[in-house]
Amino acid sequence: MSHAAERELTAAGAPGGGPGRPAPDLDAGDGVLVARIGGRALGDRVYRVVITAFALCVPILLLFIALEVGAAAWPSFRAFGLSFLTSSRWDAVAGEFGAAPAIFGTVVSSLIALLIATPLAIGVAIFLSEFAPRWLRQPVGFLVDLLAAVPSVVYGLWGIFVLIPLLREHVMPFLAETLRLGATPLFSGPAYGPSMLAAGLILAIMVLPYISAVSREVLLAVPRSQREAALALGATRWEMIWDAVLPYARSGILGGVILGLGRALGETMAVTMVIGNRHEIAASLFAPGYTMASLIANEFSEATNDLHLSALMGVGATLFVVTLIVNAIARWLVWRVSREARA
């Protein structure tokens, strides 16, 4: 725009000017605006680079852990091959190592924990989100969440002095003799106390707050209109929860269950103190067992040669792979449930 035209607009009372006022310097204003936009763009680029670097730290750290554990475990896999995962013999003196009982114990104890903890956790979440009065919801929720803050060694001590005597003197005889389940493979054999059942129970208590906390938050996030619509159609309160609330929150609840499973797979100290640490596969839940985490905890400080140490690292690598597989399956299940819910 020419200076003559600017003066004419100023004289005519155009915006930005008036009688006796100088016309605004449009070229200077444009330069300030361009500088501000350029500064913001530079800040955005720096911010994007920084948060991208932070995000990449996690997978890079995971990759480094996998490489280190895999390199340390490779000699045992090279020496024993697939039999390392299928053999039940673990003899450090003879130099023979097989991790099948530890893998079996890890999976079975975690499944027992989920079978016990999931209904209890979902029941607690439904009570706190649907039935509990406001004055009771906060204290009970806090006490349930407080279970996650208890150290695992405390759970182990409680298991040794309280849970194991209770199982040995009351629960196991009741299951085997009173209910006459001793003839079945799952509840046969003597009642030692330290057993796969004890490990499953202690893990159920430990994973319950994780499942309950996630399920409670998911249920509280269900829109109120979802509940009101079900009640308006004549549903009872239970039918409203079962048919309207739980299906809406199904993917979130499933995610909480898988989070609990991941916690159970890697638990070490409490399980080591109550499972009995016997390196064999037994069908009975009354029999002692082993898990991969407890095997590493018990023998890592006693590894006397490189092959023994490599075998323990192989157990750790197997636990790492099992955890990744479980999480991958969990992500797939959550994705599938979410897609069905949207459909």
Side-chain angles (χ1 to χ4, degrees):
M1 182 179 293
S2 65
H3 292 288
E6 291 179 17
R7 286 194 295 271
E8 291 176 3
L9 288 174
T10 303
R21 291 183 183 177
D25 191 348
L26 298 182
D27 294 335
D30 290 343
V32 172
L33 181 60
V34 170
R36 288 178 180 174
I37 293 176
R40 289 177 182 176
L42 178 61
D44 289 342
R45 287 196 296 270
V46 172
Y47 179 70
R48 184 168 60 248
V49 170
V50 171
I51 62 174
T52 302
F54 288 163
L56 290 177
C57 286
V58 176
I60 291 174
L61 178 61
L62 187 67
L63 181 61
F64 283 158
I65 293 174
L67 291 176
E68 185 66 24
V69 174
W74 176 246
S76 62
F77 287 115
R78 182 177 57 190
F80 303 108
L82 188 61
S83 64
F84 181 77
L85 304 178
T86 59
S87 174
S88 298
R89 181 174 175 80
W90 188 277
D91 189 345
V93 177
E96 297 182 6
F97 302 98
I103 298 172
F104 174 81
T106 300
V107 174
V108 171
S109 60
S110 299
L111 291 180
I112 294 172
L114 286 189
L115 289 176
I116 298 173
T118 300
L120 291 175
I122 295 178
V124 171
I126 291 175
F127 170 76
L128 293 177
S129 62
E130 304 295 334
F131 295 100
R134 290 186 178 274
W135 62 269
L136 185 61
R137 181 180 301 170
Q138 190 77 13
V140 174
F142 172 76
L143 290 176
V144 173
D145 295 341
L146 192 62
L147 290 174
V150 177
S152 60
V153 68
V154 175
Y155 280 114
L157 291 173
W158 177 82
I160 291 175
F161 293 109
V162 178
L163 180 62
I164 288 180
L166 180 65
L167 290 176
R168 182 175 55 243
E169 298 171 8
H170 301 285
V171 176
M172 290 180 175
F174 175 78
L175 293 174
E177 299 171 7
T178 305
L179 297 182
R180 300 188 181 279
L181 297 176
T184 62
L186 282 179
F187 301 99
S188 61
Y192 294 113
S195 59
M196 195 73 70
L197 180 61
L201 287 173
I202 205 79
L203 284 175
I205 299 172
M206 298 182 71
V207 305
L208 188 148
Y210 296 92
I211 304 175
S212 176
V214 175
S215 301
R216 183 176 72 248
E217 295 303 321
V218 170
L219 291 174
L220 289 174
V222 175
R224 186 177 181 85
S225 59
Q226 193 84 1
R227 299 175 172 85
E228 294 175 348
L231 294 174
L233 291 174
T236 63
R237 195 168 188 180
W238 166 248
E239 290 172 340
M240 176 266 292
I241 295 172
W242 185 259
D243 296 327
V245 176
L246 288 179
Y248 192 93
R250 185 168 49 183
S251 61
I253 293 174
L254 181 61
V257 172
I258 299 302
L259 177 64
L261 176 59
R263 176 73 173 85
L265 288 172
E267 175 54 38
T268 304
M269 187 53 64
V271 175
T272 303
M273 298 171 74
V274 301
I275 199 172
N277 302 312
R278 179 187 292 176
H279 199 81
E280 66 177 24
I281 296 176
S284 176
L285 299 181
F286 292 173
Y290 234 151
T291 65
M292 289 186 278
S294 61
L295 174 60
I296 297 172
N298 277 330
E299 298 198 10
F300 197 84
S301 61
E302 300 176 0
T304 56
N305 54 64
D306 293 339
L307 186 60
H308 189 184
L309 183 62
S310 178
L312 293 175
M313 295 301 290
V315 174
T318 305
L319 179 60
F320 185 81
V321 172
V322 169
T323 305
L324 289 181
I325 293 174
V326 167
N327 281 275
I329 294 174
R331 296 299 303 175
W332 177 78
L333 288 174
V334 171
W335 169 79
R336 183 174 179 179
V337 170
S338 301
R339 188 183 66 173
E340 291 177 355
R342 289 194 299 268

